[in-house]
Amino acid sequence: MALSIAVAGKGGTGKTTFASLLVRALVEQRVRPVLAVDADPNANLGEALGMEPGLTLAEIRERGSTPEGSPASGIGRVRAVEDELQRALAEAEGFDLLTMGRPEGPRCYCAVNHLLRQSLDTLARNYAAVVVDNEAGMEHLSRRTTNDIDFLIAVLNPTVPSLRAVRRILELSRELPVRIGHRVVLATRVAPEGVPAPIERDLTALDVERLPDVPQDDAVERAGAEGHDVFAFGAGSPALEAVRQIAARLCSTLVTPPV
């Protein structure tokens, strides 16, 4: 069974950077192949991974629905959606990228969404791990890329607005029609002196599991500012090393990576 991880957080917290570093760390630890899912309408996970996105699920959804919202007529709709999903995958060494694209329009997509969900659930079984870079509102997560989420990682940087967003994410997660095994929080871009005391106190009050902090890393910040992907900087990056430890911790809970 695939290790399924959903990453959510307020914009600007380093959510996508963390998700892409996690993909790299999992691949390096031979938890492969990994399916990286960009579920944020402001899609930039592909850029962080150094990949060009393929066909989006939004485009597949549009192709599979008539203006009235009914699925396109004809035999083999399920097979057609499965074939489209295969073409939507952007492939790299050790991982693939799937981009969900923009939210739905005003008409009903219930039937085609059902087909997509079934096909995605089947697709996810082909991977050792699934990492979903989600939007803060988690709209896409509610439609599922897998039936179960092993870890929901709510990402924040040490600021009050970011902490408020994490509280809301955790609240929303309890309303979703999916099983979430572990709700955890993760502080990123943490200065050498650590998380400020008031934020630390409020984080502790959330009463959820907390992953080790990811430190502020100038190399990662420069790479992002210059448009480089997470494979472009060296193995000695403090942020990468922290994410490697997090990846090992997640895997030790549910899977044993091959040697």
Side-chain angles (χ1 to χ4, degrees):
M1 180 179 292
L3 170 65
S4 54
I5 302 165
V7 183
K10 188 177 183 293
T13 59
K15 170 180 65 69
T16 297
T17 299
F18 169 73
S20 56
L21 284 170
L22 183 58
V23 171
R24 172 176 171 172
L26 289 168
V27 170
E28 288 176 344
Q29 293 174 22
R30 301 189 65 78
V31 182
R32 55 173 71 182
V34 175
L35 177 61
V37 181
D38 193 339
D40 192 331
N42 183 28
N44 51 21
L45 182 61
E47 182 179 351
L49 291 169
M51 301 180 68
E52 285 291 331
L55 185 71
T56 70
L57 295 198
E59 292 169 318
I60 295 174
R61 186 184 63 224
E62 291 293 334
R63 292 180 182 187
S65 180
T66 69
E68 292 75 24
S70 300
S73 60
I75 299 173
R77 289 195 299 268
V78 173
R79 179 58 183 274
V81 169
E82 290 175 350
D83 290 345
E84 290 277 78
L85 278 174
Q86 290 297 327
R87 288 195 289 271
L89 289 172
E91 299 179 354
E93 180 65 33
F95 68 95
D96 296 338
L97 171 69
L98 187 65
T99 303
M100 296 192 78
R102 64 178 178 78
E104 294 175 1
R107 67 178 188 250
C108 175
Y109 295 88
C110 295
V112 71
N113 273 338
H114 179 67
L115 292 180
L116 277 171
R117 186 178 299 128
Q118 286 182 318
S119 299
L120 282 168
D121 287 343
T122 301
L123 179 68
R125 299 189 191 109
N126 298 325
Y127 293 87
V130 179
V131 177
V132 184
D133 181 23
N134 215 81
E135 60 181 327
M138 300 196 299
E139 179 184 76
H140 282 308
L141 184 58
S142 69
R143 298 192 186 103
R144 301 202 302 271
T145 52
T146 60
N147 283 320
D148 296 331
I149 298 295
D150 295 315
F151 292 94
L152 171 62
I153 303 177
V155 177
L156 74 154
N157 51 22
T159 66
V160 171
S162 180
L163 179 61
R164 288 173 181 160
V166 160
R167 285 198 191 101
R168 179 59 181 150
I169 287 166
L170 294 173
E171 290 171 1
L172 285 171
S173 75
R174 293 181 172 89
E175 302 170 6
L176 296 176
V178 293
R179 184 198 69 85
I180 298 176
H182 303 267
R183 292 172 176 84
V184 298
V185 295
L186 169 69
T188 64
R189 296 174 173 165
V190 175
E193 58 270 23
V195 175
I199 303 293
E200 183 68 42
R201 182 182 60 247
D202 289 346
L203 272 176
T204 302
L206 290 175
D207 194 28
V208 295
E209 184 180 351
R210 181 170 168 188
L211 293 173
D213 297 342
V214 177
Q216 177 73 28
D217 190 330
D218 292 341
V220 173
E221 298 295 332
R222 283 196 304 272
E226 296 170 3
H228 301 308
D229 62 69
V230 296
F231 295 94
F233 48 86
S237 156
L240 175 58
E241 183 54 36
V243 176
R244 282 174 171 156
Q245 294 177 20
I246 290 169
R249 178 167 166 177
L250 298 178
C251 291
S252 68
T253 305
L254 298 169
V255 299
T256 302
V259 295

